[in-house]
Amino acid sequence: MSPRDTPSGVGALIRPWLRPKVLLRVAAVAALTAMVLVGVCIGVVRWRASGLEYSETSVPPADVALVPGAEIYPNGQPSPYVAGRLDLARTLLNTGRVKALLLTGDFGTPTYDEPDAMRKYLIGKGVPANRIALDYAGFDTYQSCARAYRIFGVRNAIVVTQDFSVPRSIALCRSVGIRTNAVGDHSQAHNATYDKCWLRDQIAAVKAVYSMVVQPDPKFLGRQETSVRDAMAANPR
């Protein structure tokens, strides 16, 4: 048996890597690698979405406004971030920029329902119920885009989301085959909450690039739905 096969031999091989200076160097290399990876993915996402964000008055018309969900309060009211998106989507519908709204979000548990809360908010603002379609399995942006294409038949859309999420949303929806422009909500205050959401969205570029390349199936698929087509054909009430 060689010295390396003995416990003392193994320890002798490991001990140099446990020195504080070595650990600090390894940690620094790992952190730098992660930063480079995130930076490259952010660059890919922004390149893919370049020139495709518009204001609500200048965006080219499309069939549908795709509105991803986000936090809904326990009382059923949308958070300001969601409300900002919904108000923009309502403007797009009222001005004829889109024919229907597809509200996509998380209904993963019986006690948390983003799409219905979003729908209720819009109806309270005067949006006709028959112009709204719901996707209850939009658990993240990629799944919302993939299901919009594969389940609801969306081919041409305006994504309505927060300003910092616009590049990622455009890139993901275009990666699944939807001709996508976007309108971003720039109305939210730039405070600690905004900064946290902005940072999280930048890091999410890594997952976005993975999804763009791998094109995984959404968690739920199922049969084709006609609700978007029905909403597009509906007359305002």
Side-chain angles (χ1 to χ4, degrees), residues 48-217:
R48 188 70 180 87
S50 178
L52 298 174
E53 180 183 3
Y54 298 83
S55 71
E56 65 269 33
T57 57
S58 65
V59 65
D63 293 334
V64 180
L66 176 65
V67 189
E71 183 182 11
I72 301 296
Y73 293 146
N75 64 0
Q77 290 298 309
S79 63
Y81 283 75
V82 180
R85 302 175 190 184
L86 294 172
D87 289 338
L88 282 174
R90 178 167 58 94
T91 298
L92 294 176
L93 185 66
N94 288 343
T95 57
R97 296 283 174 174
V98 296
K99 302 172 185 175
L101 308 180
L102 175 57
L103 313 180
T104 170
D106 187 347
F107 186 29
T109 67
T111 58
Y112 187 74
D113 180 353
E114 291 175 359
D116 277 317
M118 296 161 71
R119 179 178 182 272
K120 183 177 180 181
Y121 176 88
L122 286 172
I123 291 174
K125 295 283 187 174
V127 175
N130 63 348
R131 306 296 292 279
I132 300 171
L134 303 181
D135 178 11
Y136 292 100
F139 298 120
D140 59 30
T141 306
Y142 171 75
Q143 294 187 71
S144 294
C145 295
R147 283 179 53 82
Y149 184 89
R150 296 174 65 177
I151 301 299
F152 294 90
V154 175
R155 297 295 183 266
N156 184 15
I158 300 169
V159 175
V160 183
T161 187
Q162 256 60 56
D163 51 359
F164 50 76
S165 291
V166 162
R168 187 168 56 87
S169 300
I170 293 173
L172 285 168
C173 279
R174 284 193 165 251
S175 77
V176 301
I178 300 175
R179 299 189 305 278
T180 311
N181 294 312
V183 173
D185 174 29
H186 297 266
S187 67
Q188 306 307 314
H190 286 213
N191 52 25
T193 299
Y194 180 95
D195 292 342
K196 180 178 71 175
C197 293
W198 178 91
L199 179 60
R200 184 172 58 193
D201 200 88
Q202 307 315 299
I203 295 171
V206 177
K207 180 182 177 184
V209 171
Y210 169 84
S211 297
M212 290 163 62
V213 172
V214 177
Q215 295 286 301
D217 285 336

Side-chain angles (χ1 to χ4, degrees), residues 4 8-17:
R4 292 189 178 186
S8 60
V10 173
L13 289 173
I14 295 175
R15 272 193 295 273
W17 293 94

